[in-house]
Amino acid sequence: MYVSVMNSGKMQKDLMLHIQQKSKAGAEHKFKGGLAEATDETAKLHTATHLLQAALRKVLDESVAQRGPNITAERLRFDFSFPRKVTPEELREVEKLVNEAIDAGVDITCEEMTVPEALARGAIGLFVDNYGERVKVYTMGDYSCEICGGPHAANTGELGTFKIKKEEASSAGVRRIKAVLIPKEEKKD
């Protein structure tokens, strides 16, 4: 199908205004942190993104930084800065580290503090200029410490088993991991 659009300044301005209004209306319905909805499942997956980022930084490089998550009740998608394809061995190690943190069953704590206090404590804060005077810092034992405003599980043991389904390029210098949490079966006596 071919569509012709008249090239007038007023029409272009009207079209841009319409697109901006639609975009703003859509953004108002989204939750912070890339969550499509606020449920127990998305809170668990959001928690897993913290553990994933910590594991990526440990396995690949400390310069790895989140570039955008997208979380639904079924899966997480995590975009991060990294210049090359992640090897299968590296992915297995990342998955292992995330599952070790989950199996440790550590409580997830939240403290409010200033940005300088959070950064001095070692918290990762990727969008520091967007934060207010006080921020929430979520800590998961020695595994993860991040500035964040999204919902989280109370304990890493609630997450189930972390499984990476796919790793691919998102854009130049940005990689993407898609992963799921598989509920652990209750042990039978």
Side-chain angles (χ1 to χ4, degrees):
M1 179 161 107
Y2 179 75
V3 178
S4 176
V5 177
M6 188 166 46
N7 188 9
S8 78
K10 175 154 176 33
M11 284 186 75
Q12 287 178 341
K13 285 180 184 177
D14 289 346
L15 178 61
M16 285 305 297
L17 180 61
H18 175 74
I19 291 169
Q20 289 170 346
Q21 288 170 338
K22 285 286 203 186
S23 178
K24 184 178 179 182
E28 290 171 353
H29 295 291
K30 290 189 177 185
F31 290 92
K32 291 180 181 177
L35 275 67
E37 55 190 305
T39 65
D40 286 343
E41 291 79 17
T42 56
K44 289 176 186 177
L45 285 160
H46 179 81
T47 302
T49 64
H50 288 263
L51 297 174
L52 173 58
Q53 177 166 251
L56 287 166
R57 290 169 60 89
K58 195 174 268 189
V59 172
L60 301 177
D61 190 276
E62 284 291 316
S63 67
V64 165
Q66 173 184 306
R67 290 292 175 244
N70 179 271
I71 301 165
T72 69
E74 293 80 33
R75 57 96 184 123
L76 69 83
R77 187 186 79 205
F78 187 80
D79 291 357
F80 59 99
S81 58
F82 196 62
R84 64 168 172 80
K85 183 171 179 55
V86 182
T87 69
E89 295 79 22
E90 290 167 329
L91 289 172
R92 280 192 292 277
E93 182 63 18
V94 166
E95 194 173 86
K96 178 181 157 232
L97 289 174
V98 173
N99 282 312
E100 285 175 0
I102 291 170
D103 292 342
V106 297
D107 287 336
I108 298 163
T109 61
C110 177
E111 297 176 81
E112 283 197 30
M113 59 190 72
T114 65
V115 172
E117 289 170 333
L119 296 175
R121 193 177 278 197
I124 296 173
L126 301 175
F127 309 106
V128 176
D129 294 338
N130 296 342
Y131 299 136
E133 190 174 310
R134 296 191 61 80
V135 294
K136 291 181 180 180
V137 175
Y138 285 87
T139 305
M140 301 174 205
D142 292 331
Y143 300 101
S144 174
C145 183
E146 287 191 44
I147 298 171
C148 187
H152 297 80
N155 184 290
T156 60
E158 298 174 13
L159 303 185
T161 302
F162 179 80
K163 179 70 179 158
I164 295 174
K165 295 300 222 176
K166 188 174 189 178
E167 188 274 345
E168 61 190 357
S170 171
S171 60
V174 178
R175 304 301 299 177
R176 172 173 288 165
I177 286 180
K178 293 181 181 176
V180 296
L181 290 172
I182 303 164
K184 292 186 180 181
E185 295 180 12
E186 292 191 26
K187 293 181 181 178
K188 297 178 183 176
D189 295 325

